[in-house]
Amino acid sequence: MGKRKIRSVVVSAVVGSALVTTGCQSAPHNNTVGDEIVMVVSASSNEPRPEFTSRVRQLLRDAAQNGPATDGIDGTGSTAVLDTVDQQATQTFLLTPRRKDGKIEHGLQRDKLLDDNLRAIETAAAAVTSHQAGIDLLEGVNQAVRGLTPATLVVLSNGLSTAGGLDLRQVGWHADPDSIVAQLRKKGLMPRLAGWKVLFTGLGETAGAQAPLTAPARDTVHSYWMAICKAARAASCEFDDTRLAATSPSAVLPSPTVPIEGVVSVTGPRGETTTTLSDAVLGFTANSAELGPAAQDLLQQTAARIKAALDDKPSATITVRGWTANPPGALPADLLALSSARAQAVADALVRYGVTNPITVIGGGAASDPNAMTTGHFDETTAVKMRRSEITF
């Protein structure tokens, strides 16, 4: 393996030693013969706290069990390298189970020592926090693999890059993935992943001020990163589809948000959050209060956020307001009934997905908008904005 040219920490959960350098040169990398898992974590204020899925844990366990290793304090073995996207620090963890004298444990203590090693890196990953306002995931990936022999790369990030060559606020949700790749190549910004086995985990998961992703937006994020990974000549590109818990972000520095079509989430002056979902993403059809299939995942994400935010406030009330457009000839009583029924459908879905706080359902009828009628004709563009449900918690 090549040596890293950024700050490095070598940690052994069993031996209990740590070697730290703060200059430009890397700390000695003692265990470079066994398997290596490189992990790069973004941990912005718009993502849940970094979490290992069962698939990531199994990757680490397999590396610890299967990689070649030798006895001794300076013996070789398998390692896990933990990098941050903002390049604040690199930590290298010893995975191979060892006794205090450095000998590899093959006996009764092997599983315990292995679990201790895995717990050490998982704890460190959960503590990672971004110190930059935006995520440049392309550069973070590039720095994580620079100078290393191709191995396994785990990208722990929601993929919503807001800086560098892939700023999704500029790219948007309708770009051609091949065109994105072509632009990155032209600018010399493609990551160097030749020979690497890449696993993305947490892709599309959001928290904080970032609005939850709709199913199409989540699919788009997957398609962008799959195209980049394949074009970067990675040996394999996979996505871990395990959904993460709706935990609070580890970072407190505000990070730019990526607009999601049909979804807006804002925080009010008293700390309350209002998530507005358009009828388009909820799947309501004309004069119907039946949620569409695509709404289920979105409302499940919203319910998870509500449960996390109100975990210690069981009596806090959630408000769901429904609004309709005001088409010509519509009766106010009918619009009120439809807006109430739609709000109730959203509230029922939240309860179905585990929300136990009291919910107040309000039908607002037609949303007030002086532009709903233009020169005597119904303005559908404005009407789309009027048809919505607002969830405040």
Side-chain angles (χ1 to χ4, degrees):
M1 301 285 177
K3 288 187 177 180
R4 314 179 71 76
K5 295 184 179 180
I6 50 181
R7 294 185 297 276
S8 180
V9 183
V10 180
V11 180
S12 170
V14 177
V15 178
S17 61
L19 179 57
V20 184
T21 63
T22 57
C24 294
Q25 297 301 314
S26 69
H29 197 319
N30 295 329
N31 289 33
T32 57
V33 173
D35 290 350
E36 183 169 62
I37 307 292
V38 178
M39 317 182 81
V40 59
V41 186
S42 52
S44 74
S45 59
N46 292 332
E47 303 174 82
R49 185 176 298 275
E51 173 188 343
F52 284 3
T53 64
S54 58
R55 185 169 182 183
V56 172
R57 294 189 190 99
Q58 191 61 52
L59 273 177
L60 293 167
R61 185 173 293 276
D62 289 345
Q65 296 276 34
N66 302 331
T70 59
D71 285 329
I73 295 296
D74 294 325
T76 59
S78 296
T79 57
V81 179
L82 183 64
D83 263 320
T84 58
V85 165
D86 58 9
Q87 303 163 43
Q88 290 293 316
T90 298
Q91 302 176 67
T92 303
F93 294 80
L94 312 183
L95 290 176
T96 303
R98 295 181 183 275
R99 305 172 193 167
K100 290 184 178 181
D101 61 4
K103 291 185 178 180
I104 300 170
E105 175 61 59
H106 296 287
L108 297 176
Q109 292 297 307
R110 184 174 178 83
D111 286 344
K112 178 185 181 303
L113 296 179
L114 175 56
D115 288 342
D116 289 343
N117 289 348
L118 299 186
R119 191 176 301 111
I121 184 173
E122 187 162 8
T123 299
V128 170
T129 180
S130 175
H131 293 85
Q132 292 184 352
I135 299 175
D136 185 354
L137 189 54
L138 281 173
E139 181 62 17
V141 167
N142 238 340
Q143 290 294 334
V145 302
R146 179 169 294 176
L148 298 182
T149 300
T152 297
L153 174 67
V154 179
V155 182
L156 287 86
S157 174
N158 67 6
L160 299 186
S161 194
T162 54
L166 188 69
D167 185 339
L168 290 182
R169 297 171 300 170
Q170 305 300 321
V171 172
W173 297 106
H174 304 289
D176 175 40
D178 291 337
S179 296
I180 292 175
V181 167
Q183 288 295 318
L184 293 177
R185 277 181 173 153
K186 184 178 180 180
K187 297 177 182 178
L189 297 176
M190 283 291 292
R192 299 170 180 85
L193 296 175
W196 284 84
K197 297 178 180 179
V198 182
L199 174 66
F200 292 90
T201 181
L203 214 59
E205 301 288 356
T206 63
Q210 176 61 55
L213 268 60
T214 59
R218 185 182 296 275
D219 290 343
T220 298
V221 173
H222 281 223
S223 68
Y224 288 172
W225 284 109
M226 178 61 77
I228 291 170
C229 183
K230 288 183 174 180
R233 298 167 49 213
S236 64
C237 304
E238 297 184 66
F239 296 120
D240 182 351
D241 291 327
T242 307
R243 302 304 297 267
L244 304 185
T247 54
S248 298
S250 57
V252 295
L253 180 67
S255 192
T257 59
V258 180
I260 309 299
E261 295 176 348
V263 184
V264 178
S265 190
V266 298
T267 301
R270 295 184 298 276
E272 74 280 9
T273 297
T274 297
T275 298
T276 302
L277 308 175
S278 73
D279 275 13
V281 299
L282 291 175
F284 291 130
T285 56
N287 299 316
S288 171
E290 182 176 350
L291 291 165
Q296 303 305 319
D297 179 70
L298 189 59
L299 289 172
Q300 188 170 11
Q301 293 181 65
T302 305
R305 286 191 177 201
I306 292 173
K307 290 190 291 182
L310 303 182
D311 180 56
D312 58 345
K313 303 174 183 176
S315 61
T317 300
I318 301 157
T319 301
V320 179
R321 290 180 175 86
W323 301 95
T324 69
N326 190 15
L331 297 176
D334 292 340
L335 297 178
L336 180 62
L338 180 59
S339 66
S340 298
R342 288 177 172 176
Q344 188 63 57
V346 171
D348 290 344
L350 296 179
V351 172
R352 186 163 61 251
Y353 291 124
V355 172
T356 58
N357 289 72
I359 301 178
T360 299
V361 175
I362 300 174
S368 176
D369 194 313
N371 298 317
M373 298 289 291
T374 303
T375 63
H377 298 286
F378 187 64
D379 183 1
E380 179 62 24
T381 301
T382 302
V384 167
K385 300 176 182 178
M386 298 168 67
R387 302 184 185 109
R388 63 187 188 271
S389 295
E390 299 169 349
I391 305 168
T392 302
F393 57 95

